[in-house]
Amino acid sequence: MASDNELFNRRKYVKGTMTRLRNSLTSEFLASASEQMLRTKQEHAQSIFKEYIDLTVQVNDDHDPTPVEEAYFVCMDLLRTTLQSRFGTTAAAAKPSGGSNNVTSKLKLPDIQIPPFDGKYLEYKPFIELFTALVHNDSNIVDIQKFVYLRGFLKGEAFDLINNLPIQGSSYSEALTILRDRYDNSHKIVFEHISKLLDLASILRPNVTMLRNLISVAKQHVAALKNLNEPVDKWDSILVCILSRKLDPVTNRAYCLDRNSSQSPTFTDFIKYLETRALALENSSNNDVIGARKVQATAAVTNNHVAKCYYCGVAAPA
């Protein structure tokens, strides 16, 4: 039978093994590991924790100053979350024996689909609002799991900002604060929306696809600016000036001729005109295609009938 000293040393080694296992579960590993590898890691964590409990019972020491429960829970939460998010599966809960320290899992994490956030200012508010609705406000998910979810939905600069935070429950609120301080910048977001309008590609000749894109982009960014409490209702002349300079000369000239010159142009009327223009271009393009097909069909009929001898049906020489 092993001595108490040997049991204490063995328990110390087991604790170190659990720590090393937790440290091995990096975001890079979790993102690339196979399902079988993740399940193997789960089984390894369960085996380590079971041995730790058995050793604790044998040495009769329930007051370990540095227990491994937290490391074990972190490992299992990370692995269960990754299995669920990447493969849509979870593993059975671990039930280590020995004493009253059995571990059970009562929560099946939801399969959440949120577009990743990589640090673009214009994408922060949509991302954080969706994350808040699907994860943050879910009382069934504990903070450490929310933090794991948050890490999984970040990439690039945004991920780098919180990458060094320890994987524990208290890091969740700190990570949210870091992201908010970095990206919740209303003035920067407003400038980004305006820049997108200014940087719209110019249309060199009538093109329905580019015109539709200009309409869509303009409406989206103006709506976003309005949601940011910018006085876009008073920007009609500025918006029309910016967007009209992006039009091809033919469309721009047609707009100037068609609009009522006795009234100041409005953004709404300008967009309605462009939508009507785009529809006309589409119809004209369709008619051109139909006309071209009719010409081709007529030519084919002519070639099939006129080019043959009337009496014998043999094709006439070219």
Side-chain angles (χ1 to χ4, degrees), residues 1 6 18 28 30 37 49 97 99 102 116 124 132 136 146 178-179 195 199 227 238-239 243 249 254 261 267 286:
M1 183 176 179
E6 290 173 334
M18 182 64 79
E28 291 79 9
L30 294 173
M37 176 60 73
F49 192 53
S97 61
N102 290 337
Y124 172 72
T132 298
H136 182 75
K146 292 178 181 179
I178 291 173
L179 293 174
S195 295
D199 295 339
N227 289 335
I238 296 175
L239 292 172
L243 296 174
S261 59
F267 173 75
N286 290 336

Side-chain angles (χ1 to χ4, degrees), residues 229-295:
N229 298 318
E230 290 297 310
V232 293
D233 294 338
K234 299 180 180 179
W235 294 2
D236 287 308
S237 296
I238 296 175
L239 292 172
V240 172
C241 178
I242 292 173
L243 296 174
S244 63
R245 292 169 66 90
K246 305 296 181 180
L247 299 176
D248 63 274
V250 175
T251 302
N252 194 14
R253 187 182 305 112
Y255 170 70
C256 293
L257 292 172
D258 289 348
R259 79 175 185 87
N260 187 346
S261 59
S262 64
Q263 297 179 355
S264 298
T266 66
F267 173 75
T268 300
D269 289 341
F270 179 73
I271 291 297
K272 287 182 179 179
Y273 174 82
L274 294 186
E275 289 174 336
T276 302
R277 181 81 175 182
L279 182 60
L281 287 173
E282 285 178 339
N283 292 336
S284 175
S285 177
N286 290 336
N287 290 336
D288 289 344
V289 171
I290 293 173
R293 289 175 178 172
K294 287 182 177 179
V295 170

Side-chain angles (χ1 to χ4, degrees), residues 121-315:
Y121 280 96
L122 296 187
E123 297 175 3
Y124 172 72
K125 285 188 178 294
F127 166 78
I128 203 63
E129 289 179 2
L130 187 58
F131 181 84
T132 298
L134 297 181
V135 179
H136 182 75
N137 291 340
D138 192 335
S139 59
N140 292 320
I141 308 177
V142 298
D143 280 355
I144 188 171
Q145 293 167 325
K146 292 178 181 179
F147 180 57
V148 172
Y149 267 129
L150 182 62
R151 285 172 57 93
F153 295 134
L154 300 178
K155 63 180 183 179
E157 180 195 74
F159 177 79
D160 293 339
L161 288 175
I162 68 166
N163 186 31
N164 293 325
L165 293 178
I167 301 178
Q168 57 191 36
S170 60
S171 295
Y172 176 60
S173 60
E174 185 175 354
L176 291 178
T177 300
I178 291 173
L179 293 174
R180 183 175 62 251
D181 291 345
R182 177 69 176 87
Y183 298 112
D184 194 5
N185 186 330
S186 296
H187 294 296
K188 177 66 175 176
I189 295 173
V190 167
F191 291 165
E192 288 286 326
H193 282 296
I194 295 174
S195 295
K196 291 295 183 180
L197 293 173
L198 293 171
D199 295 339
L200 272 168
S202 297
I203 304 174
L204 301 180
R205 61 182 61 86
N207 183 299
V208 66
T209 301
M210 294 187 69
L211 186 57
R212 288 287 189 195
N213 180 69
L214 183 146
I215 295 169
S216 175
V217 172
K219 291 171 69 175
Q220 290 178 36
H221 289 292
V222 170
L225 287 166
K226 187 174 183 178
N227 289 335
L228 292 168
N229 298 318
E230 290 297 310
V232 293
D233 294 338
K234 299 180 180 179
W235 294 2
D236 287 308
S237 296
I238 296 175
L239 292 172
V240 172
C241 178
I242 292 173
L243 296 174
S244 63
R245 292 169 66 90
K246 305 296 181 180
L247 299 176
D248 63 274
V250 175
T251 302
N252 194 14
R253 187 182 305 112
Y255 170 70
C256 293
L257 292 172
D258 289 348
R259 79 175 185 87
N260 187 346
S261 59
S262 64
Q263 297 179 355
S264 298
T266 66
F267 173 75
T268 300
D269 289 341
F270 179 73
I271 291 297
K272 287 182 179 179
Y273 174 82
L274 294 186
E275 289 174 336
T276 302
R277 181 81 175 182
L279 182 60
L281 287 173
E282 285 178 339
N283 292 336
S284 175
S285 177
N286 290 336
N287 290 336
D288 289 344
V289 171
I290 293 173
R293 289 175 178 172
K294 287 182 177 179
V295 170
Q296 292 174 356
T298 301
V301 170
T302 300
N303 291 334
N304 287 337
H305 293 83
V306 178
K308 294 181 180 180
C309 175
Y310 179 79
Y311 295 101
C312 63
V314 177

